Amino acid sequence: HPAPIGNYKTFAIAAGPEIENPESLEFREASRFARTALISEGYREAEIGQEPDLLVELGFDISEPQTTVRERAAPVYAHYYGGYRPRVVKVYGKNGHVSKRVVYSYYPSRSRLVGWGTDISTKTVFEKSMTMRAYTVDPKSPDGHRKEIWMVDVRNRSKSEDLRYYIPRMIAAALDYIDYDSESLQRVSMAESDPRVQLILDPAYL
């Protein structure tokens, strides 16, 4: 069920388990994009020293290259190139005399099926992932008991291994599903000019 935003107003961003170095430039940049997304959905970042209503864990990762091999039957053709070729013809005179003459005839190019072979093609893709998990944390609990309120998990499969390029675009794809139960997997397509992408890349866009 959707989390009632009236009950959860402030947030703080933390590194998810996928993040090896929370101090890295890559994570700090991604945190800025996530912060923009959360604020655009009505949340407010908690002040320093203030206990946030929600702890939002941000994680992202890229898989090892995933290669698939496809085999299919493919026709094999023999190609015959055209051109002028000589041939000998008989020429009959009026007196019945027969002579031979060389003439040149034009033959067009042609192809002929001679059999079947196997066409093998390979495709390599990388799966990029971005997750945002929102928890409430009980400060009075000795083990910091957490309760998950919502989570968005965005995946992209493509030939590109540029994770930095895709992080803000995956966060943009998550915008409509923050604080919302979609109940099933949703396919999201967006152009570079999509306002959601522009918002995440430049908060002053809207």
Side-chain angles (χ1 to χ4, degrees):
H1 299 286
I5 197 168
N7 293 340
Y8 306 106
K9 295 180 180 180
T10 61
F11 71 91
I13 294 178
E18 307 92 334
I19 305 302
E20 295 182 0
N21 181 13
E23 300 301 321
S24 67
L25 177 62
E26 185 180 45
F27 181 76
R28 285 158 54 191
E29 182 180 61
S31 296
R32 178 170 60 84
F33 296 138
R35 186 178 298 111
T36 298
L38 291 165
I39 291 173
S40 73
E41 292 301 303
Y43 289 98
R44 185 178 74 254
E45 188 170 23
E47 301 291 339
I48 297 177
Q50 177 187 4
E51 193 71 34
D53 296 332
L54 290 177
L55 180 66
V56 180
E57 281 191 349
L58 172 64
F60 46 85
D61 201 3
I62 185 169
S63 71
E64 294 295 321
Q66 302 173 3
T67 301
T68 55
V69 179
R70 179 185 177 188
E71 297 185 8
R72 63 176 182 177
V76 177
Y77 292 94
H79 298 282
Y80 302 92
Y81 296 97
Y84 288 93
R85 298 175 189 171
R87 64 188 182 94
V88 177
V89 297
K90 292 180 179 181
V91 179
Y92 296 89
K94 292 182 179 181
N95 58 1
H97 178 73
V98 179
S99 62
K100 294 181 179 180
R101 183 178 298 175
V102 177
V103 297
Y104 289 85
S105 301
Y106 177 76
Y107 293 86
S109 299
R110 62 189 180 92
S111 299
R112 182 170 65 89
L113 179 66
V114 294
W116 290 85
T118 302
D119 181 33
I120 300 177
S121 61
T122 61
K123 181 180 180 182
T124 300
V125 299
F126 298 85
E127 182 172 88
K128 281 78 67 180
S129 63
M130 186 287 302
T131 56
M132 295 172 67
R133 307 176 185 89
Y135 300 93
T136 56
V137 179
D138 184 358
K140 298 179 181 179
S141 173
D143 58 355
H145 177 69
R146 294 183 175 189
K147 177 183 178 183
E148 184 177 291
I149 302 303
W150 53 259
M151 179 189 74
V152 288
D153 183 355
V154 181
R155 306 280 169 142
N156 171 274
R157 286 172 57 86
S158 67
K159 295 179 181 179
S160 173
E161 54 183 317
D162 188 353
L163 180 60
R164 184 181 180 187
Y165 172 85
Y166 278 93
I167 286 173
R169 288 152 182 85
M170 289 191 290
I171 291 176
L175 270 177
D176 294 339
Y177 302 96
I178 290 175
D179 195 23
Y180 172 74
D181 183 5
S182 65
E183 298 182 352
S184 62
L185 180 68
Q186 302 292 316
R187 182 179 294 275
V188 179
S189 299
M190 57 176 58
E192 190 69 15
S193 58
D194 191 294
R196 292 169 293 180
V197 176
Q198 299 301 318
L199 170 66
I200 297 302
L201 292 175
D202 180 10
Y205 178 76
L206 294 179

mmCIF file with all atom_site columns, all heavy atoms in Angstrom, residues 38-59:
data_model
loop_
_atom_site.group_PDB
_atom_site.id
_atom_site.type_symbol
_atom_site.label_atom_id
_atom_site.label_alt_id
_atom_site.label_comp_id
_atom_site.label_asym_id
_atom_site.label_entity_id
_atom_site.label_seq_id
_atom_site.pdbx_PDB_ins_code
_atom_site.Cartn_x
_atom_site.Cartn_y
_atom_site.Cartn_z
_atom_site.occupancy
_atom_site.B_iso_or_equiv
_atom_site.pdbx_formal_charge
_atom_site.auth_seq_id
_atom_site.auth_comp_id
_atom_site.auth_asym_id
_atom_site.auth_atom_id
_atom_site.pdbx_PDB_model_num
ATOM 1   N N   . LEU A 1 38 ? 13.321 12.801 -4.432 1.00 0.00 ? 38 LEU A N   1
ATOM 2   C CA  . LEU A 1 38 ? 12.524 12.755 -3.207 1.00 0.00 ? 38 LEU A CA  1
ATOM 3   C C   . LEU A 1 38 ? 11.875 14.103 -2.911 1.00 0.00 ? 38 LEU A C   1
ATOM 4   O O   . LEU A 1 38 ? 10.697 14.170 -2.534 1.00 0.00 ? 38 LEU A O   1
ATOM 5   C CB  . LEU A 1 38 ? 13.408 12.316 -2.037 1.00 0.00 ? 38 LEU A CB  1
ATOM 6   C CG  . LEU A 1 38 ? 13.870 10.845 -2.080 1.00 0.00 ? 38 LEU A CG  1
ATOM 7   C CD1 . LEU A 1 38 ? 15.009 10.616 -1.114 1.00 0.00 ? 38 LEU A CD1 1
ATOM 8   C CD2 . LEU A 1 38 ? 12.699 9.913  -1.776 1.00 0.00 ? 38 LEU A CD2 1
ATOM 9   N N   . ILE A 1 39 ? 12.617 15.184 -3.096 1.00 0.00 ? 39 ILE A N   1
ATOM 10  C CA  . ILE A 1 39 ? 12.058 16.514 -2.844 1.00 0.00 ? 39 ILE A CA  1
ATOM 11  C C   . ILE A 1 39 ? 10.936 16.816 -3.829 1.00 0.00 ? 39 ILE A C   1
ATOM 12  O O   . ILE A 1 39 ? 9.907  17.397 -3.462 1.00 0.00 ? 39 ILE A O   1
ATOM 13  C CB  . ILE A 1 39 ? 13.172 17.576 -2.919 1.00 0.00 ? 39 ILE A CB  1
ATOM 14  C CG1 . ILE A 1 39 ? 14.133 17.400 -1.730 1.00 0.00 ? 39 ILE A CG1 1
ATOM 15  C CG2 . ILE A 1 39 ? 12.591 18.994 -2.912 1.00 0.00 ? 39 ILE A CG2 1
ATOM 16  C CD1 . ILE A 1 39 ? 15.363 18.282 -1.794 1.00 0.00 ? 39 ILE A CD1 1
ATOM 17  N N   . SER A 1 40 ? 11.095 16.382 -5.078 1.00 0.00 ? 40 SER A N   1
ATOM 18  C CA  . SER A 1 40 ? 10.055 16.624 -6.078 1.00 0.00 ? 40 SER A CA  1
ATOM 19  C C   . SER A 1 40 ? 8.775  15.853 -5.757 1.00 0.00 ? 40 SER A C   1
ATOM 20  O O   . SER A 1 40 ? 7.690  16.222 -6.211 1.00 0.00 ? 40 SER A O   1
ATOM 21  C CB  . SER A 1 40 ? 10.550 16.229 -7.475 1.00 0.00 ? 40 SER A CB  1
ATOM 22  O OG  . SER A 1 40 ? 10.621 14.822 -7.623 1.00 0.00 ? 40 SER A OG  1
ATOM 23  N N   . GLU A 1 41 ? 8.902  14.780 -4.948 1.00 0.00 ? 41 GLU A N   1
ATOM 24  C CA  . GLU A 1 41 ? 7.731  14.002 -4.553 1.00 0.00 ? 41 GLU A CA  1
ATOM 25  C C   . GLU A 1 41 ? 7.144  14.453 -3.218 1.00 0.00 ? 41 GLU A C   1
ATOM 26  O O   . GLU A 1 41 ? 6.270  13.797 -2.667 1.00 0.00 ? 41 GLU A O   1
ATOM 27  C CB  . GLU A 1 41 ? 8.098  12.515 -4.476 1.00 0.00 ? 41 GLU A CB  1
ATOM 28  C CG  . GLU A 1 41 ? 8.403  11.881 -5.830 1.00 0.00 ? 41 GLU A CG  1
ATOM 29  C CD  . GLU A 1 41 ? 7.226  11.986 -6.776 1.00 0.00 ? 41 GLU A CD  1
ATOM 30  O OE1 . GLU A 1 41 ? 6.130  11.502 -6.427 1.00 0.00 ? 41 GLU A OE1 1
ATOM 31  O OE2 . GLU A 1 41 ? 7.394  12.566 -7.875 1.00 0.00 ? 41 GLU A OE2 1
ATOM 32  N N   . GLY A 1 42 ? 7.646  15.576 -2.687 1.00 0.00 ? 42 GLY A N   1
ATOM 33  C CA  . GLY A 1 42 ? 7.041  16.152 -1.489 1.00 0.00 ? 42 GLY A CA  1
ATOM 34  C C   . GLY A 1 42 ? 7.787  15.919 -0.199 1.00 0.00 ? 42 GLY A C   1
ATOM 35  O O   . GLY A 1 42 ? 7.367  16.389 0.866  1.00 0.00 ? 42 GLY A O   1
ATOM 36  N N   . TYR A 1 43 ? 8.887  15.202 -0.238 1.00 0.00 ? 43 TYR A N   1
ATOM 37  C CA  . TYR A 1 43 ? 9.679  14.985 0.972  1.00 0.00 ? 43 TYR A CA  1
ATOM 38  C C   . TYR A 1 43 ? 10.606 16.176 1.216  1.00 0.00 ? 43 TYR A C   1
ATOM 39  O O   . TYR A 1 43 ? 10.858 16.992 0.325  1.00 0.00 ? 43 TYR A O   1
ATOM 40  C CB  . TYR A 1 43 ? 10.506 13.700 0.841  1.00 0.00 ? 43 TYR A CB  1
ATOM 41  C CG  . TYR A 1 43 ? 9.694  12.435 0.893  1.00 0.00 ? 43 TYR A CG  1
ATOM 42  C CD1 . TYR A 1 43 ? 9.317  11.782 -0.285 1.00 0.00 ? 43 TYR A CD1 1
ATOM 43  C CD2 . TYR A 1 43 ? 9.312  11.877 2.105  1.00 0.00 ? 43 TYR A CD2 1
ATOM 44  C CE1 . TYR A 1 43 ? 8.577  10.610 -0.245 1.00 0.00 ? 43 TYR A CE1 1
ATOM 45  C CE2 . TYR A 1 43 ? 8.572  10.704 2.156  1.00 0.00 ? 43 TYR A CE2 1
ATOM 46  C CZ  . TYR A 1 43 ? 8.208  10.069 0.969  1.00 0.00 ? 43 TYR A CZ  1
ATOM 47  O OH  . TYR A 1 43 ? 7.475  8.913  1.016  1.00 0.00 ? 43 TYR A OH  1
ATOM 48  N N   . ARG A 1 44 ? 11.155 16.218 2.422  1.00 0.00 ? 44 ARG A N   1
ATOM 49  C CA  . ARG A 1 44 ? 12.086 17.274 2.804  1.00 0.00 ? 44 ARG A CA  1
ATOM 50  C C   . ARG A 1 44 ? 13.290 16.626 3.478  1.00 0.00 ? 44 ARG A C   1
ATOM 51  O O   . ARG A 1 44 ? 13.136 15.736 4.316  1.00 0.00 ? 44 ARG A O   1
ATOM 52  C CB  . ARG A 1 44 ? 11.404 18.250 3.768  1.00 0.00 ? 44 ARG A CB  1
ATOM 53  C CG  . ARG A 1 44 ? 12.263 19.461 4.140  1.00 0.00 ? 44 ARG A CG  1
ATOM 54  C CD  . ARG A 1 44 ? 11.512 20.418 5.077  1.00 0.00 ? 44 ARG A CD  1
ATOM 55  N NE  . ARG A 1 44 ? 11.400 19.892 6.431  1.00 0.00 ? 44 ARG A NE  1
ATOM 56  C CZ  . ARG A 1 44 ? 10.281 19.412 6.953  1.00 0.00 ? 44 ARG A CZ  1
ATOM 57  N NH1 . ARG A 1 44 ? 9.167  19.373 6.234  1.00 0.00 ? 44 ARG A NH1 1
ATOM 58  N NH2 . ARG A 1 44 ? 10.260 18.959 8.203  1.00 0.00 ? 44 ARG A NH2 1
ATOM 59  N N   . GLU A 1 45 ? 14.480 17.056 3.086  1.00 0.00 ? 45 GLU A N   1
ATOM 60  C CA  . GLU A 1 45 ? 15.677 16.473 3.673  1.00 0.00 ? 45 GLU A CA  1
ATOM 61  C C   . GLU A 1 45 ? 15.817 16.922 5.131  1.00 0.00 ? 45 GLU A C   1
ATOM 62  O O   . GLU A 1 45 ? 15.652 18.099 5.452  1.00 0.00 ? 45 GLU A O   1
ATOM 63  C CB  . GLU A 1 45 ? 16.918 16.877 2.884  1.00 0.00 ? 45 GLU A CB  1
ATOM 64  C CG  . GLU A 1 45 ? 18.167 16.144 3.337  1.00 0.00 ? 45 GLU A CG  1
ATOM 65  C CD  . GLU A 1 45 ? 19.339 16.360 2.401  1.00 0.00 ? 45 GLU A CD  1
ATOM 66  O OE1 . GLU A 1 45 ? 19.348 17.368 1.664  1.00 0.00 ? 45 GLU A OE1 1
ATOM 67  O OE2 . GLU A 1 45 ? 20.255 15.515 2.413  1.00 0.00 ? 45 GLU A OE2 1
ATOM 68  N N   . ALA A 1 46 ? 16.103 15.956 6.002  1.00 0.00 ? 46 ALA A N   1
ATOM 69  C CA  . ALA A 1 46 ? 16.235 16.254 7.431  1.00 0.00 ? 46 ALA A CA  1
ATOM 70  C C   . ALA A 1 46 ? 17.456 17.133 7.678  1.00 0.00 ? 46 ALA A C   1
ATOM 71  O O   . ALA A 1 46 ? 18.482 17.013 7.005  1.00 0.00 ? 46 ALA A O   1
ATOM 72  C CB  . ALA A 1 46 ? 16.357 14.951 8.220  1.00 0.00 ? 46 ALA A CB  1
ATOM 73  N N   . GLU A 1 47 ? 17.325 18.022 8.621  1.00 0.00 ? 47 GLU A N   1
ATOM 74  C CA  . GLU A 1 47 ? 18.447 18.880 8.995  1.00 0.00 ? 47 GLU A CA  1
ATOM 75  C C   . GLU A 1 47 ? 19.509 18.057 9.723  1.00 0.00 ? 47 GLU A C   1
ATOM 76  O O   . GLU A 1 47 ? 19.232 16.987 10.276 1.00 0.00 ? 47 GLU A O   1
ATOM 77  C CB  . GLU A 1 47 ? 17.956 20.010 9.911  1.00 0.00 ? 47 GLU A CB  1
ATOM 78  C CG  . GLU A 1 47 ? 16.893 20.914 9.300  1.00 0.00 ? 47 GLU A CG  1
ATOM 79  C CD  . GLU A 1 47 ? 17.443 21.786 8.177  1.00 0.00 ? 47 GLU A CD  1
ATOM 80  O OE1 . GLU A 1 47 ? 18.684 21.980 8.147  1.00 0.00 ? 47 GLU A OE1 1
ATOM 81  O OE2 . GLU A 1 47 ? 16.647 22.253 7.339  1.00 0.00 ? 47 GLU A OE2 1
ATOM 82  N N   . ILE A 1 48 ? 20.739 18.562 9.712  1.00 0.00 ? 48 ILE A N   1
ATOM 83  C CA  . ILE A 1 48 ? 21.813 17.885 10.434 1.00 0.00 ? 48 ILE A CA  1
ATOM 84  C C   . ILE A 1 48 ? 21.459 17.808 11.916 1.00 0.00 ? 48 ILE A C   1
ATOM 85  O O   . ILE A 1 48 ? 21.088 18.807 12.540 1.00 0.00 ? 48 ILE A O   1
ATOM 86  C CB  . ILE A 1 48 ? 23.150 18.634 10.235 1.00 0.00 ? 48 ILE A CB  1
ATOM 87  C CG1 . ILE A 1 48 ? 23.543 18.620 8.766  1.00 0.00 ? 48 ILE A CG1 1
ATOM 88  C CG2 . ILE A 1 48 ? 24.250 18.017 11.102 1.00 0.00 ? 48 ILE A CG2 1
ATOM 89  C CD1 . ILE A 1 48 ? 24.805 19.400 8.460  1.00 0.00 ? 48 ILE A CD1 1
ATOM 90  N N   . GLY A 1 49 ? 21.560 16.606 12.471 1.00 0.00 ? 49 GLY A N   1
ATOM 91  C CA  . GLY A 1 49 ? 21.218 16.397 13.870 1.00 0.00 ? 49 GLY A CA  1
ATOM 92  C C   . GLY A 1 49 ? 19.763 16.051 14.091 1.00 0.00 ? 49 GLY A C   1
ATOM 93  O O   . GLY A 1 49 ? 19.377 15.671 15.205 1.00 0.00 ? 49 GLY A O   1
ATOM 94  N N   . GLN A 1 50 ? 18.935 16.178 13.054 1.00 0.00 ? 50 GLN A N   1
ATOM 95  C CA  . GLN A 1 50 ? 17.506 15.854 13.165 1.00 0.00 ? 50 GLN A CA  1
ATOM 96  C C   . GLN A 1 50 ? 17.286 14.394 12.792 1.00 0.00 ? 50 GLN A C   1
ATOM 97  O O   . GLN A 1 50 ? 17.867 13.888 11.841 1.00 0.00 ? 50 GLN A O   1
ATOM 98  C CB  . GLN A 1 50 ? 16.690 16.754 12.230 1.00 0.00 ? 50 GLN A CB  1
ATOM 99  C CG  . GLN A 1 50 ? 15.193 16.443 12.230 1.00 0.00 ? 50 GLN A CG  1
ATOM 100 C CD  . GLN A 1 50 ? 14.452 17.235 11.160 1.00 0.00 ? 50 GLN A CD  1
ATOM 101 O OE1 . GLN A 1 50 ? 15.061 17.951 10.372 1.00 0.00 ? 50 GLN A OE1 1
ATOM 102 N NE2 . GLN A 1 50 ? 13.133 17.121 11.147 1.00 0.00 ? 50 GLN A NE2 1
ATOM 103 N N   . GLU A 1 51 ? 16.450 13.706 13.561 1.00 0.00 ? 51 GLU A N   1
ATOM 104 C CA  . GLU A 1 51 ? 16.115 12.317 13.256 1.00 0.00 ? 51 GLU A CA  1
ATOM 105 C C   . GLU A 1 51 ? 15.128 12.302 12.090 1.00 0.00 ? 51 GLU A C   1
ATOM 106 O O   . GLU A 1 51 ? 14.027 12.852 12.188 1.00 0.00 ? 51 GLU A O   1
ATOM 107 C CB  . GLU A 1 51 ? 15.497 11.635 14.478 1.00 0.00 ? 51 GLU A CB  1
ATOM 108 C CG  . GLU A 1 51 ? 15.397 10.131 14.362 1.00 0.00 ? 51 GLU A CG  1
ATOM 109 C CD  . GLU A 1 51 ? 16.762 9.462  14.432 1.00 0.00 ? 51 GLU A CD  1
ATOM 110 O OE1 . GLU A 1 51 ? 17.647 9.961  15.172 1.00 0.00 ? 51 GLU A OE1 1
ATOM 111 O OE2 . GLU A 1 51 ? 16.940 8.441  13.749 1.00 0.00 ? 51 GLU A OE2 1
ATOM 112 N N   . PRO A 1 52 ? 15.475 11.682 10.934 1.00 0.00 ? 52 PRO A N   1
ATOM 113 C CA  . PRO A 1 52 ? 14.564 11.685 9.784  1.00 0.00 ? 52 PRO A CA  1
ATOM 114 C C   . PRO A 1 52 ? 13.402 10.715 9.983  1.00 0.00 ? 52 PRO A C   1
ATOM 115 O O   . PRO A 1 52 ? 13.515 9.727  10.712 1.00 0.00 ? 52 PRO A O   1
ATOM 116 C CB  . PRO A 1 52 ? 15.463 11.232 8.634  1.00 0.00 ? 52 PRO A CB  1
ATOM 117 C CG  . PRO A 1 52 ? 16.475 10.350 9.291  1.00 0.00 ? 52 PRO A CG  1
ATOM 118 C CD  . PRO A 1 52 ? 16.730 10.971 10.642 1.00 0.00 ? 52 PRO A CD  1
ATOM 119 N N   . ASP A 1 53 ? 12.289 11.039 9.336  1.00 0.00 ? 53 ASP A N   1
ATOM 120 C CA  . ASP A 1 53 ? 11.168 10.102 9.361  1.00 0.00 ? 53 ASP A CA  1
ATOM 121 C C   . ASP A 1 53 ? 11.511 8.835  8.587  1.00 0.00 ? 53 ASP A C   1
ATOM 122 O O   . ASP A 1 53 ? 11.092 7.733  8.963  1.00 0.00 ? 53 ASP A O   1
ATOM 123 C CB  . ASP A 1 53 ? 9.928  10.742 8.731  1.00 0.00 ? 53 ASP A CB  1
ATOM 124 C CG  . ASP A 1 53 ? 9.433  11.939 9.521  1.00 0.00 ? 53 ASP A CG  1
ATOM 125 O OD1 . ASP A 1 53 ? 9.654  11.973 10.751 1.00 0.00 ? 53 ASP A OD1 1
ATOM 126 O OD2 . ASP A 1 53 ? 8.833  12.852 8.915  1.00 0.00 ? 53 ASP A OD2 1
ATOM 127 N N   . LEU A 1 54 ? 12.268 9.001  7.500  1.00 0.00 ? 54 LEU A N   1
ATOM 128 C CA  . LEU A 1 54 ? 12.632 7.865  6.657  1.00 0.00 ? 54 LEU A CA  1
ATOM 129 C C   . LEU A 1 54 ? 14.132 7.872  6.397  1.00 0.00 ? 54 LEU A C   1
ATOM 130 O O   . LEU A 1 54 ? 14.718 8.909  6.119  1.00 0.00 ? 54 LEU A O   1
ATOM 131 C CB  . LEU A 1 54 ? 11.906 7.918  5.310  1.00 0.00 ? 54 LEU A CB  1
ATOM 132 C CG  . LEU A 1 54 ? 10.401 7.671  5.286  1.00 0.00 ? 54 LEU A CG  1
ATOM 133 C CD1 . LEU A 1 54 ? 9.867  7.846  3.874  1.00 0.00 ? 54 LEU A CD1 1
ATOM 134 C CD2 . LEU A 1 54 ? 10.075 6.282  5.815  1.00 0.00 ? 54 LEU A CD2 1
ATOM 135 N N   . LEU A 1 55 ? 14.720 6.685  6.469  1.00 0.00 ? 55 LEU A N   1
ATOM 136 C CA  . LEU A 1 55 ? 16.087 6.484  6.009  1.00 0.00 ? 55 LEU A CA  1
ATOM 137 C C   . LEU A 1 55 ? 15.998 5.833  4.634  1.00 0.00 ? 55 LEU A C   1
ATOM 138 O O   . LEU A 1 55 ? 15.448 4.738  4.504  1.00 0.00 ? 55 LEU A O   1
ATOM 139 C CB  . LEU A 1 55 ? 16.856 5.585  6.978  1.00 0.00 ? 55 LEU A CB  1
ATOM 140 C CG  . LEU A 1 55 ? 18.315 5.298  6.604  1.00 0.00 ? 55 LEU A CG  1
ATOM 141 C CD1 . LEU A 1 55 ? 19.142 6.576  6.671  1.00 0.00 ? 55 LEU A CD1 1
ATOM 142 C CD2 . LEU A 1 55 ? 18.904 4.231  7.520  1.00 0.00 ? 55 LEU A CD2 1
ATOM 143 N N   . VAL A 1 56 ? 16.491 6.529  3.629  1.00 0.00 ? 56 VAL A N   1
ATOM 144 C CA  . VAL A 1 56 ? 16.391 6.024  2.254  1.00 0.00 ? 56 VAL A CA  1
ATOM 145 C C   . VAL A 1 56 ? 17.752 5.504  1.826  1.00 0.00 ? 56 VAL A C   1
ATOM 146 O O   . VAL A 1 56 ? 18.708 6.270  1.673  1.00 0.00 ? 56 VAL A O   1
ATOM 147 C CB  . VAL A 1 56 ? 15.912 7.124  1.282  1.00 0.00 ? 56 VAL A CB  1
ATOM 148 C CG1 . VAL A 1 56 ? 15.828 6.580  -0.135 1.00 0.00 ? 56 VAL A CG1 1
ATOM 149 C CG2 . VAL A 1 56 ? 14.556 7.657  1.724  1.00 0.00 ? 56 VAL A CG2 1
ATOM 150 N N   . GLU A 1 57 ? 17.837 4.193  1.670  1.00 0.00 ? 57 GLU A N   1
ATOM 151 C CA  . GLU A 1 57 ? 19.073 3.575  1.212  1.00 0.00 ? 57 GLU A CA  1
ATOM 152 C C   . GLU A 1 57 ? 19.119 3.601  -0.306 1.00 0.00 ? 57 GLU A C   1
ATOM 153 O O   . GLU A 1 57 ? 18.182 3.156  -0.975 1.00 0.00 ? 57 GLU A O   1
ATOM 154 C CB  . GLU A 1 57 ? 19.178 2.134  1.703  1.00 0.00 ? 57 GLU A CB  1
ATOM 155 C CG  . GLU A 1 57 ? 19.618 2.004  3.140  1.00 0.00 ? 57 GLU A CG  1
ATOM 156 C CD  . GLU A 1 57 ? 19.971 0.581  3.501  1.00 0.00 ? 57 GLU A CD  1
ATOM 157 O OE1 . GLU A 1 57 ? 19.683 -0.334 2.709  1.00 0.00 ? 57 GLU A OE1 1
ATOM 158 O OE2 . GLU A 1 57 ? 20.529 0.378  4.592  1.00 0.00 ? 57 GLU A OE2 1
ATOM 159 N N   . LEU A 1 58 ? 20.192 4.116  -0.840 1.00 0.00 ? 58 LEU A N   1
ATOM 160 C CA  . LEU A 1 58 ? 20.385 4.204  -2.288 1.00 0.00 ? 58 LEU A CA  1
ATOM 161 C C   . LEU A 1 58 ? 21.482 3.226  -2.701 1.00 0.00 ? 58 LEU A C   1
ATOM 162 O O   . LEU A 1 58 ? 22.566 3.223  -2.131 1.00 0.00 ? 58 LEU A O   1
ATOM 163 C CB  . LEU A 1 58 ? 20.781 5.631  -2.680 1.00 0.00 ? 58 LEU A CB  1
ATOM 164 C CG  . LEU A 1 58 ? 21.198 5.857  -4.135 1.00 0.00 ? 58 LEU A CG  1
ATOM 165 C CD1 . LEU A 1 58 ? 20.027 5.594  -5.076 1.00 0.00 ? 58 LEU A CD1 1
ATOM 166 C CD2 . LEU A 1 58 ? 21.734 7.271  -4.312 1.00 0.00 ? 58 LEU A CD2 1
ATOM 167 N N   . GLY A 1 59 ? 21.166 2.413  -3.691 1.00 0.00 ? 59 GLY A N   1
ATOM 168 C CA  . GLY A 1 59 ? 22.150 1.459  -4.194 1.00 0.00 ? 59 GLY A CA  1
ATOM 169 C C   . GLY A 1 59 ? 22.107 1.381  -5.706 1.00 0.00 ? 59 GLY A C   1
ATOM 170 O O   . GLY A 1 59 ? 21.068 1.633  -6.321 1.00 0.00 ? 59 GLY A O   1
#
